[in-house]
Each structure stands twice: as C-alpha cells, then as structure tokens.
Amino acid sequence: MYNIISVNYYKFLVGMVNNRFIFKFLFISLACTGGEHAATVTHPLPAAFSDLLPHFLVEPDDVYIVKNKPVTLTCRSTPATQIYFKCNGEWVHQDQHLIDRDVDPATGLPVMQVKIDISRQQVEKIFGLEDYWCQCVAWSTTGTQKSQKAYVRIAYLRKNFEEEPLGKEVALDQEVLLRCHPPEGVPPAEVEWQRNEELIDPKTDPNFFITVDHNLIIKQARLADTGNYTCVAKNIVARRKSSSATVIVYVNGGWSTWATWSACSAVCGRGWQKRSRSCTNPTPLNGGTSCEGQSVQKSACTATCPVDGGWSEWSKWSPCGADCTMWRSRECTQPSPSTGGKECQGLDLQSLNCTSEQCPQSEYHYLSASGAEDVALYVGIVAVALCLTLLLIVLVLVYRRKKEGLDADVADSSILTTGFQPMGIKPTKPENSHLLTIQPDLTTTTTSYQGTLRSRREVTGKFSVSNGPLLEPLPNGSHTLHNGKLPSDPNDFMNRLSSQTYFKTLPRDNVNTSYGTFNFLGGRLTLPNTGISLLIPPEAIPRGKIYEIYLTIQKKEDMRLPLAGCQTLLSPVVSCGPPGVMLTRPVILSMDHCSDACLENWAIRLKKQSYEGTWEDVLQLGEEVVSEPYYCQLEAETCRVFTEQLGRFALVGESLSMAAAKRLKLLLFAPAYCSTLEYNIRVYCMDDTQDLLKEVMQMERQLGGRLIDEPHILLFKDSYHNLRLSIHDMPQAHWRSKLLAGYQEIPFYHIWSGSQRTLHCTFTLERQSLSTCDLTCTLCVWQVEGEGQSFTLDFNISKDIRPLDSDFLLMDNCTPALAGPSAFQIPYLIRQKICSSLDTPCPNGADWRLLAQRLKLDRHMSFFASKASPTSVILDLWETQHFHNGNLNQLAAVMAEIGKQEAMIFLVSDGEC
C-alpha cells in the first residue's frame, strides 16, 4: 500500500512541479509515508541550508548537431535535491538523465549534475515549427530555479554561393572590389579569401581589406596582385570554395623622354635629323594600351658645307745658304680648310741646290763630301767583318746542337699529355720585313727571329702566331724555334686529345676550341664571340719549357653538374689544359656570368672537376684565401678566375633570398621569308652569356630565321614563379593567334637549373590571306609576381627593311690564339720596368698599392700583396679587362699621377724599346 501511494504521488509531482505549494505538500506527504520509500525520491538538505534556493554552476549552452552525432546538455546546481530537463515544454523521462551527486568541499553543500543526450531524430520531429530548446529545473526544500534555454540546431552548409566573385581587368593603382555572399548555413559560415591558393591576410598585407559583408577590397592594384582569387566559406560542417575570379592588373604604356637629335643626314646643305622615344615609361603589360603618338620625330636641318684648303703662291727663293741650298715656302690659306674640309696636299717647303757660282763654300763642300765617302767605306768594311763573325758563331752553334741532340731545356708536352701534340697553323704574312714571313721547317734546322717588342696597338708590328709555336729568346735578343713535328690536320689534334681519359667529354669540333703553343713569353687564347679567354702572363710558364695549351667550352647537355636546393649554373662550363702542367704564376680565365652580381643575395662558388670526374668547391666568392691557388674577381657581367692549375671550371650560385636574380636575355626570331598563311615567332629565354647568344644565332641562321626586335634583359628571381609569355593587340581582321590558352608558360625549374641551353616558346600566327604582310602586335614576357618586358612589333613580314641583323651582336673577330708580345697591350720591356719600379714598397705609398687604387682594383689588395710581384698581377688583370679597348695613354697618365718617370716610356720609339 505504501508503494502504491509513493508512485502515485511521484507521478502527481512530475505533472504539477511548477506549483511550489503543491511541491511542499508532496514532499511532506512522501516523507510521512515512511523513510524507506522517501529516500528513493528526495534527499533532505541539512537544516542549516534548508532555506537556500538552488543556483546553477553550469547551465546548458546552445549546441549544433553535426551529421548524425548526438549532443550532450549538462546542468549543475547547488544546493539541489533534484534536477530535471524540460525540452520544448515536455519533461524528459527520468531514465534519460545521467545523474551525478557530489559535495562542495568548500561549503559542504550538496552538488548535483545531470546530463542528457539529444539526437538528430528528436530535433527533426519539430524541425520547421520552432527551434528545439531544452531547459533544466532544480529543486531544493525552499523552491525551484530554471536555467537558461539552450537551443539545439542541426548544422549544415549549402553548396552554392549566393554571390560569387567575378574576374576583372584593372589599371595599375586602381581600387578593386570583389563581392562574395557565402552559402546559407547553420552556424553562419566564416569567409576567407585566397589568391592563387594562398591565404590572404590583411594583417600582413594592409593593401587588402575584407568588409563585414565578406567582400574583398584591393586598395591599390599592383602587378603582383594579378592572379586567381577565390572566396572560401566554412563552418563546423563543411568548407566551400567559390569559382575563381581572375584579376589582371594591366599597365598602360607611357612615353620616355625624347632622345637628343641625331646628326644632320646631309654633309653639305639641306638634310634631315631625327630623335626618338620609346614606350617604356612604363612599358605596357598584361594587355595595357600602348602609347599614342609618334615614336620618331624628323626635322629639317642645314649642314655647313666643308671647305677644302688651297695653297697660296710660292714665296721667293731664299738666298743661297752656307750649305749651298736655297728654300721657298707656301701656306694652306687660300682658302684655309674649315668645317671638316681637307687639308692641302703636297709640300709646303721646297729646297734647291745652288750652282757653283752662287755657293760661297763650294770648295769646302767638295772636300766634305770626299771625307764622308771615306767614312762610309770604313763603316762598310767594319759591318762586313761583324757579319762574318756572327755567321761563324751561328755555324758553331748549329754544329754543337746536331752533335749533342735535342736541347734538354725544351719540354715536349706529349710527355705531359700522353700523346697531346701541338697544332701548328701557318700565320698570315705580315707587311713588315722584321716579322715571320713563312712557317719554318722545324725538323731540319733552327730559324731565328729578329724583331722588337712593340705594343699591340701597332697592328703592322705584331708578332701574331695563330695556333703555332712560340719563340724562345736567345741572350742576344733574338728568338729561336726548336725542332718538333707539327701536324697539319686540326681534326687529328682534337681526335687524339679527346681520346685521352680526362678529355673524353671534350667537344670534337674546332668552332668552340682554341689551342696554341706557348713559352715563357706567355700569350692569350680566345673563343671569339663567347666572352671566354685565357691569359697566360709572361713568366707563367717556366723558362725553357714549351706547353701546348687549349681552351674549350663544354655544352651543358654533355656536362651535368650536381646542383641541389636553390643552386643554379651561372656561367658556361670551360675547360683549359692540359691539367697537371707546372705554372709559376696564375693564369687568368675570363668567362661571362648571368647573376645580378649582388653578393648579399648569393653564395657563389667556383667549382672544378677532379681527375676522377667529381666536382669540388675550390672557392667561395667573398671568402677567398690568398694562400690558395685560386682567386676570383666578379664584375657586372664577367668573372675573372686566377688559377695556378688548369682544368675544368664552372661558376655555381646558391640564392640566399628570393631577391636573388639571374639575367635572362630575350630574343625574338621569325622566318626571313614566309610563303604560307602561318607565321611563327620564336621567343628565346636564355641565360645572358655570350656563348649562348652565339649558339642561338648560329642555330637560327641554319633555320632561316632573322632577328625581329632588339634583345631585352629580364631579371628572373628565385621566387618559384614560372615565366609567362603572351601576345596581344593583333589586328583581328587580318591576323589571329592559334594559341588556345591566354598565355604560354615555362616552368621555373627549367630556367633556374640552367640545364636547358636554348629554352624558347613559339607563337603560331595565321593571316587571313597571303596579301596580308603588315604585322602589329605586342608580345609580353613576365615572371608571375615579378618583373616583365614587352616587345612592340610593327613591320612588314615580306620586305622588312629595319636595320636589325643578328650579325651585329657577334662582332668579336679577334684571333683565337696570340703568342708572345702581340698578345699584350704593354710591351714586354716596358712591363719589366714598371714592375721593378713599383714592386718595391715606397714610404709615401707611391708604389703598386697606389697603382691598384688608381685602376680601381684596391679591393683585391690582400691578393696582390701575397704575390712575389704585385705589380705584375695588377698589369695582368688590366690586360684582361682592356684587351679590346685598352689605351696605353690612360695607363701612362696613371703612372704620371703616381709620380713615376716610367710614364715617359710609353712615348719611346720602337728602336728605343
């Protein structure tokens, strides 16, 4: 009976819990029915806390159901005897409550915690009518308390955006607004923006701003802002991406300032002069408009005509002088030459012997003439005696040579190279009689060379040996060619050379190879039109030694360098040898490089291949050790390598930051003749070195192509961004591009690695008819988020008369091999005098140190000081830098500034040298 009463009262309690009076009544009634049964329903509070209302320590919060995972609501209260949840106005069954009771150790109050789980099905039953909510109610002996309502919602995110961003083309510095309205979702989606799949953070780049409506604003459009923009919406359920909107930031072209007026086209009278400007301030990019107006202006001009000089009348004859001669003169004054006119031709002074009657001292003159004839006779006798004596000495020397055999001081370099034989080329016949006129027969006798040491500026006085043997000096100043068999076939030389173990990879052609025979006088090897040369200074080869030396360039396809990380090849791979020869002074190897020469952004190393074929770092620029056999001077476009060991070298750079850049040369070629509707434009993007330029020129000459615009230089940065090429502004009525995409792209690594020598893209254009010959377009080349260049083309493809010829880029016609004094600007004897004067330290600093400062080479002071003759090394470097354009007068002026009298020796005659 007691059990029935307890159950009935409990059901009544659940239905009427909101009435505090009824609650108290039920509580007292349940207590009166017996302590055993009441304990299952209530827990009486201690008397000290019986008058406290419950308060919540934890109230249920709003939650979201993700997919089919139920959520848990928690309620915690003290002091409380009971806690129950009510959801959407209905009490939750007691079995669904998870109850946990505890006592607060600080207050001693009972703490009660209740949890319930809400499933997706429970919420979906009332979905659409009203929000599903739950609330917990806590009881104590004093009364009840209700918690806040916790709303339970099903989370979702729609797939489609209500508004997606649209692509735009905007001008530089213009404001850009990209709109985005994310998909409907619960909870509302958060929005972020991406450019080229990378997150945009307005905190790090204040040029971006995201509005409260989720729109993206680019405050001032930059070239780097060109890209694909995506709006991304996400919440706890899903992540949605909008379609990409392409933003292209274009640059409208602007004119540069006018250049100065050219010289008048007419030499005399009326002519024309012109001036030009270019659309490069700025250059139009990404479809920007080209400059409007003329790029060339012409103006009439009048040139003053030159006046040639004319002789005046002869003056009267002078009286007969003591030397029995009389004179008369005339002047170039009728008229005087002016405005570039010619000087008078002929003599301005004439002499005439006087007759016997007019000469006051004819008898004395006769006696003097007789005495002069006697003196001439005696001089002739003495000269004949000296010649006979010299002839006798020569015969004795020849006899002794034949008797003793080959001179032990001459080193046959075949011992050094295991079959490496010299290559002799018969030199061209010089005009002066004191130079070699024929190739001597070196197998029979010894030929002497009598001549002076002269500056290479005097072309007629050069001693030029092309791939031939050098002369060894004798004590009397003459030079001797020792016997040795010289092969006549250059191909035989290259075949034997490349058959040796170390030279397996040497090219077998003669185009990219120079070679010659040298002794202690030194010389120079040059690969024309490549920027590669090898200077062998005087005394670099020991006296008494003769070396056969070669210089060649390796193709990158045949020679793979191990490059890792951010490393890139900055120079051609150059071989000089044979390796292992003994040098007493460093030779200087010059080669082009394509870095921006900013050492703050680079770690540049000189690599050398060992005999085993592995590549080793022998030098890092900026960290040179003067005691090592290698040293390097890096100029804007050229690298000078001082080395005491011949071998195979290359310059490798490793970028230290994304600001490191390589120089690329951009070349445009097209067919010289086109008889079809299709017309191809080839764009070469290659390292800016002369050897690659020469290779492309030769290849295009074979393909029948011609240069259609001047080359451009592009700085390609280590930013991992590709190179893009596009063509714009073609007249659509006459031409169309067969390119399907908006641009072509060369991957970053293909350019940065430097492994592919002649990278190029081809744009195939199609004209509407064969009569269409005029082509105008703009071709743009740029690195993504980097620098760009553009070519503006406007020419007739059938009769292009513009003065653009690829041959003008290949103007180096120097001799591949120069031996002895002809290889140097400074005559040998003058060089010795300068070295002896400046090598000795001077207290006031007027020595080699001041010479280095005047020549702007003072940053290499430590290297020069480590050498036995610092002045000689400085002059060697000056020779390499000024081989084509050296001016001895400038060097003489530097010597005069130093205060050395040796400056006067540049003005001496050949006989004095």
Side-chain angles (χ1 to χ4, degrees):
M1 179 177 179
Y2 292 133
N3 292 335
I4 296 174
I5 296 175
S6 298
V7 172
N8 291 335
Y9 278 132
Y10 177 77
K11 292 181 178 180
F12 183 75
L13 170 65
V14 172
M16 304 296 294
V17 70
N18 289 328
N19 191 310
R20 182 178 296 181
F21 173 77
I22 297 176
F23 167 75
K24 289 184 178 180
F25 170 78
L26 290 174
F27 181 81
I28 297 172
S29 301
L30 289 171
C32 294
T33 59
E36 180 179 350
H37 299 283
T40 62
V41 181
T42 63
H43 292 269
L45 294 175
F49 306 109
S50 60
D51 57 344
L52 295 178
L53 285 173
H55 70 278
F56 291 96
L57 303 176
V58 176
E59 296 185 75
D61 293 323
D62 295 344
V63 290
Y64 297 94
I65 296 178
V66 178
K67 297 182 179 179
N68 292 321
K69 297 179 181 179
V71 295
T72 301
L73 298 180
T74 303
C75 192
R76 186 179 179 89
S77 178
T78 182
T81 57
Q82 290 293 338
I83 301 177
Y84 289 97
F85 273 93
K86 178 190 290 185
C87 294
N88 281 72
E90 297 183 0
W91 292 99
V92 179
H93 196 276
Q94 182 180 10
D95 296 341
Q96 298 178 10
H97 290 72
L98 181 62
I99 301 174
D100 184 19
R101 300 180 186 276
D102 199 358
V103 176
D104 189 345
T107 61
L109 290 174
V111 179
M112 187 174 185
Q113 177 176 287
V114 177
K115 294 182 179 180
I116 63 170
D117 291 335
I118 306 297
S119 66
R120 183 186 184 100
Q121 290 76 11
Q122 293 176 260
V123 178
E124 287 179 343
K125 288 181 180 179
I126 61 167
F127 190 73
L129 300 178
E130 59 181 2
D131 288 337
Y132 190 95
W133 59 268
C134 289
Q135 183 181 39
C136 61
V137 181
W139 288 273
S140 70
T141 55
T142 305
T144 63
Q145 285 284 28
K146 296 181 181 178
S147 70
Q148 64 182 10
K149 289 184 177 180
Y151 291 90
V152 182
R153 299 180 177 90
I154 298 176
Y156 66 93
L157 184 63
R158 305 290 185 195
K159 290 185 178 181
N160 297 326
F161 280 74
E162 297 186 7
E163 184 177 8
E164 291 187 309
L166 301 177
K168 294 184 178 182
E169 293 186 1
V170 296
L172 190 69
D173 295 330
Q174 181 180 336
E175 183 180 273
V176 184
L177 174 63
L178 298 177
R179 297 183 179 277
C180 176
H181 196 170
E184 178 187 352
V186 174
E190 298 178 357
V191 174
E192 62 185 20
W193 284 85
Q194 292 180 349
R195 179 185 64 191
N196 297 332
E197 305 298 330
E198 294 182 0
L199 181 65
I200 295 175
D201 187 1
K203 294 181 180 179
T204 58
D205 191 348
N207 194 45
F208 294 103
F209 178 72
I210 300 177
T211 67
V212 294
D213 298 332
H214 311 303
N215 299 326
L216 177 65
I217 295 177
I218 305 176
K219 299 177 183 179
Q220 287 185 320
R222 305 160 295 189
L223 284 177
D225 294 328
T226 298
N228 296 320
Y229 288 79
T230 308
C231 179
V232 180
K234 61 181 181 179
N235 64 5
I236 59 177
V237 178
R239 187 172 183 267
R240 314 290 187 198
K241 296 177 69 173
S242 70
S243 57
S244 295
T246 301
V247 174
I248 298 177
V249 182
Y250 60 83
V251 179
N252 294 324
W255 288 114
S256 64
T257 56
W258 286 103
T260 56
W261 287 100
S262 65
C264 194
S265 61
V267 179
C268 176
R270 184 176 178 83
W272 297 93
Q273 60 182 168
K274 64 180 181 179
R275 64 175 183 175
S276 61
R277 58 179 179 175
S278 58
C279 188
T280 57
N281 189 28
T283 302
L285 290 175
N286 298 340
T289 58
S290 298
C291 304
E292 296 181 359
Q294 296 180 343
S295 60
V296 179
Q297 280 186 347
K298 288 186 177 182
S299 175
C301 60
T302 302
T304 304
C305 297
V307 178
D308 296 337
W311 290 113
S312 64
E313 295 294 331
W314 285 103
S315 66
K316 293 182 179 181
W317 287 102
S318 67
C320 190
D323 57 350
C324 294
T325 305
M326 55 184 181
W327 305 85
R328 69 173 181 175
S329 63
R330 59 179 178 175
E331 296 180 351
C332 187
T333 57
Q334 293 187 0
S336 298
S338 62
T339 62
K342 297 179 180 179
E343 295 285 343
C344 299
Q345 303 295 321
L347 299 175
D348 61 348
L349 190 66
Q350 276 187 347
S351 64
L352 184 66
N353 291 333
C354 306
T355 61
S356 302
E357 295 78 9
Q358 294 174 328
C359 180
Q361 298 182 5
S362 58
E363 181 179 358
Y364 173 76
H365 176 72
Y366 172 75
L367 294 175
S368 300
S370 299
E373 291 177 358
D374 293 340
V375 171
L377 177 61
Y378 296 145
V379 171
I381 294 174
V382 173
V384 171
L386 289 175
C387 289
L388 292 175
T389 303
L390 291 175
L391 179 61
L392 180 61
I393 293 174
V394 170
L395 290 176
V396 171
L397 290 176
V398 171
Y399 175 75
R400 294 181 62 183
R401 284 290 178 89
K402 289 184 177 180
K403 186 176 181 181
E404 296 177 3
L406 186 64
D407 191 345
D409 291 337
V410 180
D412 186 358
S413 61
S414 62
I415 301 175
L416 297 171
T417 61
T418 313
F420 180 67
Q421 295 294 332
M423 176 61 204
I425 301 297
K426 184 175 180 179
T428 57
K429 182 177 181 180
E431 296 178 3
N432 292 6
S433 61
H434 64 278
L435 297 183
L436 277 178
T437 58
I438 60 173
Q439 177 71 29
D441 183 3
L442 302 181
T443 63
T444 58
T445 185
T446 300
T447 305
S448 64
Y449 159 70
Q450 300 287 343
T452 58
L453 299 172
R454 306 178 62 179
S455 168
R456 66 177 293 277
R457 280 294 179 189
E458 305 174 42
V459 180
T460 59
K462 286 185 180 180
F463 167 46
S464 176
V465 180
S466 176
N467 296 340
L470 264 184
L471 302 177
E472 182 179 356
L474 290 176
N476 62 1
S478 63
H479 301 277
T480 301
L481 283 171
H482 291 286
N483 60 335
K485 188 66 176 177
L486 299 181
S488 58
D489 187 7
N491 294 324
D492 179 63
F493 168 82
M494 294 307 301
N495 291 334
R496 288 186 293 101
L497 179 64
S498 58
S499 65
Q500 304 303 316
T501 303
Y502 182 77
F503 309 102
K504 291 293 187 182
T505 57
L506 284 180
R508 294 177 178 267
D509 61 347
N510 296 323
V511 178
N512 295 318
T513 304
S514 294
Y515 42 89
T517 309
F518 303 92
N519 70 353
F520 82 98
L521 286 177
R524 185 189 305 265
L525 289 175
T526 304
L527 299 178
N529 297 310
T530 63
I532 299 172
S533 65
L534 179 69
L535 181 77
I536 307 167
E539 308 294 342
I541 297 176
R543 287 178 178 261
K545 299 291 184 181
I546 297 177
Y547 292 158
E548 296 145 331
I549 297 179
Y550 66 88
L551 177 67
T552 184
I553 183 172
Q554 305 285 154
K555 290 187 177 181
K556 298 176 184 176
E557 290 81 357
D558 302 329
M559 185 60 56
R560 297 287 182 180
L561 269 77
L563 301 178
C566 301
Q567 290 184 343
T568 179
L569 189 60
L570 298 177
S571 74
V573 181
V574 180
S575 294
C576 56
V581 298
M582 182 179 67
L583 298 174
T584 58
R585 290 184 51 199
V587 298
I588 302 178
L589 176 64
S590 300
M591 55 186 176
D592 286 355
H593 69 87
C594 61
S595 75
D596 59 0
C598 185
L599 292 180
E600 292 81 3
N601 302 326
W602 287 97
I604 299 179
R605 295 177 176 86
L606 179 67
K607 285 183 176 288
K608 181 177 183 290
Q609 192 176 31
S610 65
Y611 292 100
E612 293 78 15
T614 59
W615 286 89
E616 301 172 347
D617 293 340
V618 296
L619 173 69
Q620 179 168 342
L621 270 67
E623 300 180 5
E624 297 91 346
V625 179
V626 294
S627 60
E628 294 294 328
Y630 307 98
Y631 190 81
C632 185
Q633 181 202 18
L634 191 71
E635 301 172 2
E637 298 179 358
T638 307
C639 175
R640 317 279 183 190
V641 178
F642 295 78
T643 175
E644 298 176 10
Q645 299 176 6
L646 302 183
R648 185 168 294 145
F649 298 93
L651 208 62
V652 173
E654 182 177 3
S655 61
L656 302 179
S657 68
M658 295 178 66
K662 292 176 64 174
R663 296 192 321 276
L664 299 184
K665 178 159 285 186
L666 309 177
L667 298 172
L668 266 63
F669 284 89
Y673 304 98
C674 181
S675 59
T676 62
L677 294 178
E678 288 189 352
Y679 187 74
N680 295 322
I681 297 178
R682 292 181 291 276
V683 186
Y684 288 85
C685 309
M686 61 186 188
D687 293 347
D688 183 22
T689 56
Q690 294 183 53
D691 65 299
L692 286 180
L693 176 63
K694 176 182 178 181
E695 183 176 339
V696 170
M697 294 297 183
Q698 293 174 344
M699 183 172 61
E700 279 294 333
R701 190 176 290 115
Q702 296 175 357
L703 295 175
R706 73 180 305 269
L707 197 66
I708 61 174
D709 203 350
E710 295 182 358
H712 287 35
I713 299 297
L714 175 69
L715 290 179
F716 188 79
K717 294 186 177 181
D718 183 18
S719 61
Y720 297 98
H721 291 296
N722 297 338
L723 191 70
R724 290 183 178 176
L725 304 91
S726 60
I727 192 166
H728 311 275
D729 304 334
M730 285 189 304
Q732 300 296 327
H734 304 288
W735 292 87
R736 74 177 186 89
S737 172
K738 301 187 73 174
L739 184 67
L740 299 179
Y743 55 83
Q744 298 190 63
E745 199 165 62
I746 301 178
F748 168 82
Y749 178 74
H750 288 180
I751 297 176
W752 195 256
S753 66
S755 59
Q756 302 186 35
R757 294 171 63 86
T758 55
L759 281 173
H760 70 277
C761 288
T762 300
F763 289 92
T764 302
L765 310 180
E766 187 177 36
R767 48 182 172 169
Q768 300 299 325
S769 66
L770 293 176
S771 60
T772 301
C773 295
D774 292 326
L775 174 61
T776 60
C777 63
T778 301
L779 201 149
C780 299
V781 183
W782 77 101
Q783 187 181 15
V784 178
E785 298 190 13
E787 188 176 300
Q789 290 284 4
S790 67
F791 298 83
T792 301
L793 304 179
D794 187 357
F795 65 102
N796 189 297
I797 66 173
S798 62
K799 49 181 180 180
D800 189 6
I801 59 174
R802 296 175 302 162
L804 289 173
D805 190 356
S806 58
D807 292 337
F808 83 94
L809 297 175
L810 304 176
M811 298 298 292
D812 185 5
N813 296 319
C814 61
T815 306
L818 290 173
S822 61
F824 303 96
Q825 295 274 1
I826 307 172
Y828 181 70
L829 294 181
I830 295 178
R831 175 192 179 95
Q832 287 184 322
K833 291 182 180 180
I834 296 177
C835 293
S836 62
S837 175
L838 297 182
D839 278 344
T840 304
C842 186
N844 59 1
D847 50 24
W848 64 268
R849 293 169 294 182
L850 189 56
L851 176 63
Q853 291 177 2
R854 292 290 189 270
L855 297 179
K856 299 181 180 179
L857 300 174
D858 49 326
R859 64 180 180 274
H860 307 296
M861 285 290 195
S862 300
F863 174 68
F864 297 146
S866 67
K867 301 304 175 184
S869 175
T871 308
S872 182
V873 180
I874 295 173
L875 296 181
D876 294 342
L877 185 54
W878 185 88
E879 289 277 3
T880 61
Q881 293 174 330
H882 301 87
F883 177 59
H884 295 288
N885 56 357
N887 190 338
L888 288 179
N889 292 331
Q890 293 178 355
L891 187 59
V894 172
M895 293 293 297
E897 291 178 6
I898 296 176
K900 294 292 182 178
Q901 296 300 324
E902 285 75 4
M904 300 302 295
I905 64 182
F906 290 96
L907 306 178
V908 298
S909 63
D910 294 337
E912 295 171 315
C913 288

